[in-house]
Amino acid sequence: MSLGMQSDELDREIEIAIVRSFGWSIIDFEAVLYQKFLVLSAATSLMTEDMFRKHLKNMQAKGYVVPVEFQGKRAWKRLVIETDIDEPAMTPEEVKEFLEQAREKMSEKKDRSRSKGEKVVSESKALAESVIKSLEKGISERKQKKRRIGEPTLIEHIEAMHRALADSRDDFLDYIRKQFPNVYKDMERILENKGEEALLLSLRVIESGYRAYPPQ
């Protein structure tokens, strides 16, 4: 090996040899890795340990390896495979363009996710209001009378409906039929139009609202 050779091609060959020296291991001690490198790379066997460590530092800067402490000794963790290094390096302009495209894609993905999340929350709140109106309509007659001891409150009905729907659609409708027969059709229509998941979410929204702002 000529110690004066510093070409990119030679550096890449050395880096590939270092990665190959890991074998099947992901982490290896620096001293052991150096000895494996000398055995596997006869053409570069004149490399000193300091030169080997310099190559490891350069590989760390490229994201190929990372230093770790293992059992109290200096070790290195491999982050790539041979083919990752064997590919031609990107130019600074290509790297810049790649990062810009990646940022744009991430930004678009976040915007879509945020928009979708806001839509779900908005729809859940609207559905929750419809559910509350139907239930208030169903218990309006009870409000005109003195509440009996042990009679469930509105939020207790909501919690019971939540549990029933979590068990099955039929359990939910049975509960509505027994507790709120005069709004059964309304609740059945909501369930049919919005689906079980949307209705479950709206019931959770109501429960959260009552816990945060309990009626006085």
Side-chain angles (χ1 to χ4, degrees):
M1 170 185 174
S2 174
L3 297 180
M5 295 179 64
Q6 298 295 328
S7 68
D8 292 340
E9 183 178 353
L10 179 59
D11 286 342
R12 186 161 57 251
E13 290 179 359
I14 292 174
E15 290 167 352
I16 292 174
I18 291 176
V19 171
R20 187 181 296 125
S21 299
F22 277 91
W24 293 103
S25 302
I26 300 297
I27 297 177
D28 213 340
F29 295 111
E30 182 177 293
V32 175
L33 189 63
Y34 174 60
Q35 294 301 321
K36 288 181 180 179
F37 172 80
L38 294 180
V39 172
L40 293 175
S41 307
T44 55
S45 59
L46 296 179
M47 182 180 294
T48 66
E49 192 167 355
D50 287 340
M51 294 169 61
F52 179 74
R53 188 174 295 113
K54 182 179 180 181
H55 278 288
L56 286 173
K57 289 289 187 180
N58 290 335
M59 292 174 69
Q60 177 187 355
K62 296 177 181 179
Y64 295 164
V65 295
V66 62
V68 295
E69 185 173 332
F70 187 62
Q71 297 180 355
K73 298 180 180 179
R74 185 176 182 82
W76 291 85
K77 180 178 180 181
R78 172 170 56 86
L79 302 178
V80 296
I81 58 177
E82 294 178 32
T83 54
D84 294 329
I85 301 177
D86 202 23
E87 295 177 354
M90 297 175 67
T91 65
E93 291 75 15
E94 291 173 333
V95 172
K96 182 179 179 181
E97 182 179 358
F98 173 80
L99 292 176
E100 289 178 352
Q101 292 177 351
R103 280 194 291 266
E104 289 176 0
K105 290 181 179 179
M106 287 298 295
S107 178
E108 292 174 359
K109 184 176 181 180
K110 288 181 179 179
D111 289 341
R112 288 195 299 268
S113 178
R114 186 182 301 112
S115 177
K116 183 178 179 180
E118 291 174 352
K119 182 179 179 181
V120 170
V121 172
S122 177
E123 291 178 348
S124 298
K125 288 181 178 179
L127 182 55
E129 291 177 0
S130 297
V131 171
I132 291 177
K133 288 180 180 179
S134 294
L135 294 184
E136 288 178 342
K137 175 184 175 183
I139 62 176
S140 60
E141 294 180 358
R142 299 181 186 180
K143 288 185 176 181
Q144 296 174 4
K145 302 176 182 179
K146 184 176 181 181
R147 182 172 177 271
R148 293 175 298 176
I149 297 176
E151 183 179 350
T153 62
L154 178 59
I155 185 58
E156 288 172 339
H157 278 300
I158 293 293
E159 292 171 345
M161 290 164 57
H162 190 174
R163 290 192 297 269
L165 185 56
D167 290 336
S168 73
R169 179 180 183 277
D170 291 339
D171 287 351
F172 173 78
L173 291 176
D174 284 343
Y175 184 88
I176 298 298
R177 185 183 294 108
K178 294 175 182 177
Q179 299 294 331
F180 305 100
N182 55 332
V183 295
Y184 177 84
K185 291 297 182 181
D186 293 341
M187 296 303 298
E188 184 181 36
R189 184 168 55 254
I190 290 176
L191 180 58
E192 291 292 338
N193 294 338
K194 300 300 183 180
E196 295 181 24
E197 292 186 3
L199 186 52
L200 277 171
L201 182 56
S202 71
L203 294 173
R204 285 198 293 268
V205 168
I206 297 172
E207 290 175 352
S208 299
Y210 266 77
R211 292 191 187 100
Y213 304 100
Q216 301 298 322

